[in-house]
């Protein structure tokens, strides 16, 4: 019951959804639309796990006065305030959540967090991009051309540089990406089949139950 | 120089500087911004999930339109809460079984079509590409690249003779591809960095127009 029923649900829905893909009948399409909504609902509830884990981690840190517990107060208060504001006034473009939380807090924090990666990538590139072998020289040259081709300086150096960057991205880069995509897709399909057929059961978790 | 008089712009600018302060070293100002980011993201996620997912997909059809079929995803979703009750924590496997089974079933044919069939179609030399010499040449280079890169990942035989030549050619494509991807990613991060600097210098300090 505790393991076999979930395995049967997984197998059943896996096979039905695979077959459904090849049946364009209105009933089949309707079933797909209905279950897509169900998945969206069930996935929304999965947020409970993430929020639960966040709350447990920070309340525990706060209770035990671990190093940096003051920051846990910041995280908890920020989460509580934005949840209350969001649930009370909605998430529309003109709502307080968008005007006072999303635009002045979330957008700059998110963009800055990713922007500082530019410095770390430059630092990593300095260490990694040493043309020790022919292959690493190729990597260095390709990266250099693509980067220069995307800024006005590149076109100023040589007017065809942006075209060359575009060519690298759409021909050799695309070829390598396609080959990798084949491998990823075949691996993904094999893993999906193993999960559906109950060969791969890691998602059931451990324990005796 | 026209410094902004908007409180929200000041908040956004100070938070941007807080995140950038990590470039100097890990400091309390950065930690504050980091925890604020986590908290606000969670609150925003909860509100958006409620208004864009749970409310229109579950509350409206089940309680306003009286569609009893929607009890199924509700019950499955509620099973996620069992994670916090050790005696019935195994019930979490039911929503997981549904989501995983459904997802895998949908992914297998879709993945096969988009990542394998469509990619092969894009790689193959079709009559239309013979119309222009440059398109034909790029298509041949791309075709050779895909075949050689796939051979690089073929481990069932030792890479000797023709296989070695093919896999070495594959490495060339892979290196150019990785370099191009790296360059592209760096430029995307640079664009974010420029966006933040523009915000500080233009919107906040008014130094540039």
């Amino acid at each position: 019951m505790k393991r076999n029923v979930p395995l049967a649900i997984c197998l059943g829905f896996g096979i039905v959804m695979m077959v459904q893909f090849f049946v364009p009948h209105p009933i089949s399409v309707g079933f797909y639309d209905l279950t897509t909504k169900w998945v969206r609902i069930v996935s929304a509830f999965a947020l409970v796990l993430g929020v639960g884990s966040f709350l447990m981690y920070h309340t525990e840190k706060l209770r035990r006065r671990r190093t940096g517990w003051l920051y846990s107060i910041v995280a908890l208060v920020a989460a509580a305030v934005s949840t209350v504001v969001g649930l009370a006034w909605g998430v529309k473009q003109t709502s307080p959540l968008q005007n006072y939380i999303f635009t002045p807090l979330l957008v700059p924090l998110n963009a800055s967090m990713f922007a500082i990666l530019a410095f770390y990538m430059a630092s990593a590139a300095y260490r990694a991009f040493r043309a020790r072998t022919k292959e690493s020289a190729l990597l260095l040259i390709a990266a250099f051309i693509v980067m220069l081709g995307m800024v006005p300086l590149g076109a100023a150096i040589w007017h065809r540089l942006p075209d060359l960057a575009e060519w690298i991205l759409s021909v050799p880069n695309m070829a390598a990406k396609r080959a990798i995509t084949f491998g990823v897709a075949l691996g993904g399909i094999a893993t999906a089949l193993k999960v559906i057929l109950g060969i791969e059961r890691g998602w059931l978790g451990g324990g005796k139950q | 120089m026209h410094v902004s008089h908007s409180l929200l712009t000041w908040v956004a600018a100070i938070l941007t500087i807080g995140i950038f302060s990590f470039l100097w070293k890990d400091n309390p100002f950065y930690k504050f911004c980091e925890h604020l980011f986590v908290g606000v993201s969670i609150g925003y996620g909860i509100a958006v999930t409620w208004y864009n997912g749970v409310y229109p997909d579950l509350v409206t059809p089940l309680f306003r339109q009286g569609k009893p079929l929607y009890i199924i995803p509700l019950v499955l979703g509620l099973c996620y809460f069992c994670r916090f009750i050790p005696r019935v924590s195994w019930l979490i496997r039911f929503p997981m079984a549904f989501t995983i089974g459904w997802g895998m079933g949908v992914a297998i044919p879709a993945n096969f079509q988009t990542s394998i069939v469509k990619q092969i179609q894009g790689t193959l030399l079709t009559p239309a590409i013979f119309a222009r010499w440059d398109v034909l040449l790029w298509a041949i280079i791309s075709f050779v690249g895909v075949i050689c890169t796939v051979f690089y990942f073929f481990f069932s035989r030792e890479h000797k003779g023709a296989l070695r030549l093919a896999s070495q050619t594959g490495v060339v494509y892979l290196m150019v591809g990785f370099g191009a991807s790296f360059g592209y990613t760096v430029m995307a991060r640079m664009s974010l960095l420029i966006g933040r600097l523009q915000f500080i210098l233009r919107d906040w300090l008014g130094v540039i127009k």
Side-chain angles (χ1 to χ4, degrees), chain A residues 5-192:
Chain A
V5 175
L7 282 172
I9 293 172
C10 185
L11 175 71
F13 268 100
I15 290 172
V16 167
M17 294 320 293
M18 263 197 287
V19 173
Q20 179 281 326
F21 185 83
F22 300 100
V23 184
H25 191 275
I27 294 175
S28 166
V29 176
F31 180 75
Y32 173 78
D33 290 342
L34 179 73
T35 51
T36 304
K37 280 184 184 167
W38 287 10
V39 165
R40 275 217 301 268
I41 296 163
V42 175
S43 304
F45 276 95
L47 191 68
V48 170
L49 295 180
V51 175
S53 169
F54 165 81
L55 290 176
M56 282 199 290
Y57 173 75
H58 284 288
T59 47
E60 187 67 12
K61 200 171 157 185
L62 207 59
R63 208 168 54 83
R64 293 184 184 273
R65 294 282 193 275
R66 283 202 204 119
T67 319
W69 61 273
L70 274 169
Y71 301 113
S72 291
I73 298 176
V74 175
L76 289 167
V77 170
V81 170
S82 39
T83 304
V84 170
V85 171
L87 293 178
W89 286 283
V91 293
K92 286 181 184 159
Q93 282 302 314
T94 51
S95 64
L97 184 76
Q98 301 290 350
N99 289 340
Y100 303 115
I101 290 176
F102 183 75
T103 310
L105 299 182
L106 207 51
V107 170
L109 284 169
N110 192 32
S112 308
M113 200 63 99
F114 282 102
I116 59 168
L117 287 181
F119 293 97
Y120 291 103
M121 287 182 91
S123 149
Y126 176 73
R127 275 172 281 166
F129 280 14
R130 287 185 192 158
R132 290 198 192 105
T133 60
K134 278 182 287 180
E135 288 81 8
S136 58
L138 270 173
L139 194 132
L140 175 70
I141 293 164
F144 204 67
I145 292 171
V146 169
M147 283 193 278
L148 268 181
M150 286 183 169
V151 289
L153 179 68
I157 293 169
W158 182 42
H159 73 285
R160 299 296 300 274
L161 204 64
D163 297 335
L164 182 61
E166 186 58 40
W167 181 82
I168 287 174
L169 281 168
S170 58
V171 180
N173 173 55
M174 178 63 79
K177 285 275 169 61
R178 271 193 181 138
I180 293 170
T181 306
F182 289 149
V184 171
L186 289 172
I189 290 168
T191 308

Side-chain angles (χ1 to χ4, degrees), chain B residues 96-143:
Chain B
M96 283 178 73
F98 167 66
T99 313
I100 291 171
W102 187 93
M104 298 291 174
V106 168
I108 289 173
N111 218 353
F112 191 80
Q113 199 174 44
T114 55
S115 299
I116 296 178
V117 177
K118 291 281 179 194
Q119 297 302 324
I120 289 173
Q121 277 178 351
T123 310
L124 286 177
L125 306 174
T126 53
I129 60 164
F130 287 87
R132 275 175 55 187
W133 72 268
D134 56 338
V135 178
L136 174 67
L137 185 62
W138 305 156
I140 291 170
I141 291 172
S142 186
F143 179 76

